[in-house]
Amino acid sequence: IGALSDLWDFSTKALIAEEEMSEAYLPSEDAIQTALSTVDYHAVQIDGTTVTLTNPNAAIDLGGIAKGYIADKMKAFLNENGVTSGYINLGGNVLALGPKDSSQTESTYTIGVQKPFDENGNAICAVKITDETVVSSGVYERYFVVDDTRYHHLLDTSTGYPISNDLLGVTIITTSSVDGDALSTTCFALGLEDGLALIESLPDTEAIFITSDYKMHNSSGIGTSIPCRSY
């Protein structure tokens, strides 16, 4: 979806003051449809370490998995070099390197899940993990506002516009950060009901969905296999 996400350019537009934004910053419908015509995973061909795009106008956006992939590689490097306690924080991706060391009174790490749009960065809840990762995606990360309408960076590949559903954020708790990265975006796109169904079908994977009324909807293992505290 690289051509489509480049067209919206959320990274740049999110830095512009809200009062300076106007409809001129929105992509035109023609431009969206042109970019949307390049969104097709069949155009991506992989042969070993060589990736070829059969459509010269297409582009790849790795934003849905890159941070998770990097986090997993960092964890593997640290483990291979004898670091077995601690955590990695890459913003929306947090990984525990195992249990806390024996000098700590508690072996688990408490990881906060951000409350959407909270100006002070307060948590809406916290989960306890040991050798797992907590990955979040939501509408509060990268967005801009035009005429009281928020345009966020999670794009609907059927319309070319930001996904419009009742979700503010999705947090995944699992063992692989790259999987958590992909699942947080995928589950957001699927919506609450289908997203939860997907999570319940996967082993060693739990999720927290936050709807627009700031209520949390948890998969069945949250609170049992994954201790969780609400705020």
Side-chain angles (χ1 to χ4, degrees), residues 204-221:
D204 304 319
T205 306
E206 304 297 341
I208 299 169
F209 292 72
I210 305 172
T211 45
S212 59
D213 55 6
Y214 285 84
K215 289 184 179 179
M216 294 185 296
H217 306 262
N218 303 337
S219 58
S220 58

Side-chain angles (χ1 to χ4, degrees), residues 57 59 83 87 128 134 161 163 212:
N57 297 316
V83 181
Y87 67 91
K128 291 183 178 294
V134 179
Y161 288 85
I163 297 167
S212 59

Side-chain angles (χ1 to χ4, degrees), residues 113-125 138-141 143 150 165-170 192 208-218 228-231:
V113 175
Q114 184 176 331
K115 183 178 181 180
F117 301 109
D118 189 279
E119 294 181 355
N120 297 316
N122 293 320
I124 193 170
C125 68
V139 302
Y140 53 90
E141 295 177 328
Y143 66 92
R150 182 184 303 111
N165 57 25
D166 195 41
L167 292 177
L168 295 180
V170 176
L192 176 60
I208 299 169
F209 292 72
I210 305 172
T211 45
S212 59
D213 55 6
Y214 285 84
K215 289 184 179 179
M216 294 185 296
H217 306 262
N218 303 337
C228 179
R229 175 184 176 184
S230 300
Y231 293 102

